[in-house]
Every structure is written in structure tokens, then in C-alpha cells.
Amino acid sequence: MSTEFQVTFDARDPKAQAEFWRQVLGYVVPAPPGVELAPGDDVWAAWEEALERFNVPQQRRNAQSAIEDPEGKRPRVFFQQVPEEKAVKNRVHLDVRSAPGLRGEERMAALEAEHDRLVALGAKRLRREEPAPPLSFGFIVMADPEGNEFCLD
């Protein structure tokens, strides 16, 4: 039997990182405890109201954030605020599967299209690795807004 796990990012701005990765992965921000949101309600406003009600000091209101798979199948992603800046290359990264089943130029075109979408969200391109079959079908290395590397694969 497999073990359930959560992916945790250290972050300077947990809310901004959660919003970026929410859009990358198609995840959702969970509602605050005890709050039922109607379709179209602003989850971030709901969190702000809840934190006020919970008497969380203003300086701690961006200490953590999370996103979840709306289908409940994939790992939860948690963002925790840390005081230090990212200093070195991350040793673990996410491979965002953006072209499943595609090969060659069709694959690379799909990766480039996703690249363009993510750059508009604040990501940065680091490099493109061309296909080298049979061991690599090509990928694009990127960085999120805080410099954490990930691959479009």
C-alpha cells in the first residue's frame, strides 16, 4: 500500500506561490475551516475574513497557504513562509506533465504553448532540452516566481 504525502515549498510569499501553482496545476485553494463557498465566491477574501475572525495578527496572515487537487487524487501542495531567500538550486522539483503521449515537434510545440502560458503567470524559462530518443523526448526547464526550478515534461 502506498503512503499519502504532501509537497511542501518554502516561500517568501506563500499566497502568491499558491496562486501561481494553483494555475499551473489546475488545483484549488481550499475554503477556510467551517466555511462553505458558493461557486464564484472569492476564496482569498474568505480566507482574509476567516483570519480576521480567528484573530490571526496581520503579520502572520501570509505565513502559510495550500492548494489541493479538486478531484482529491493528487498530493496537496503546502507553502510555508521562511525568512531566508532561496540560495541554491532546489534538489527536488516537479515535472509538470504538459504533453503526455506526444513525441517530436508536436510534443515540443505543446510544451512551448504551456511555457507561454506560464511565463504570463510569472514563470521564467531557464532552458530547452531537445528530444534525444530513446532516453529523452525533450523538455523545458523553468523557474517559478521565487526561483524554484521545475520542468515542463
Side-chain angles (χ1 to χ4, degrees):
M1 175 174 251
S2 63
T3 302
E4 189 173 319
F5 67 95
Q6 166 176 281
V7 176
T8 301
F9 282 75
D10 289 348
R12 184 177 49 248
D13 185 345
K15 179 182 175 186
Q17 283 292 87
E19 182 58 24
F20 172 80
W21 282 102
R22 179 194 70 76
Q23 292 182 60
V24 171
L25 300 175
Y27 273 35
V28 296
V29 175
V35 174
E36 289 288 327
L37 295 176
D41 283 354
D42 183 346
V43 69
W44 295 117
W47 269 105
E48 196 55 43
E49 291 169 12
L51 294 172
E52 180 73 29
R53 212 172 41 256
F54 301 153
N55 295 313
V56 174
Q58 190 67 38
Q59 68 272 18
R60 297 288 306 150
R61 291 188 185 177
N62 193 23
Q64 58 190 33
S65 195
I67 57 174
E68 297 174 345
D69 175 13
E71 297 175 9
K73 296 178 182 176
R74 292 176 180 82
R76 180 177 191 259
V77 183
F78 182 73
F79 303 89
Q80 62 186 4
Q81 193 172 54
V82 295
E84 67 275 1
E85 295 290 323
K86 180 181 178 302
V88 296
K89 182 183 185 304
N90 42 306
R91 301 278 307 248
V92 174
H93 70 264
L94 302 182
D95 287 339
V96 179
R97 304 285 185 191
S98 303
L102 300 179
R103 299 287 183 260
E105 283 308 309
E106 185 180 19
R107 173 185 173 78
M108 297 312 290
L111 295 180
E112 288 292 350
E114 182 65 355
H115 159 273
D116 294 347
R117 184 180 81 85
L118 301 185
V119 166
L121 297 174
K124 185 167 114 179
R125 180 192 199 106
L126 300 181
R127 72 180 184 280
R128 174 177 158 147
E129 294 289 329
E130 296 300 323
L135 299 177
S136 174
F137 297 112
F139 56 93
I140 299 174
V141 180
M142 300 189 71
D144 73 14
E146 291 197 9
N148 299 300
E149 290 185 23
F150 66 98
C151 291
L152 295 180
D153 182 24

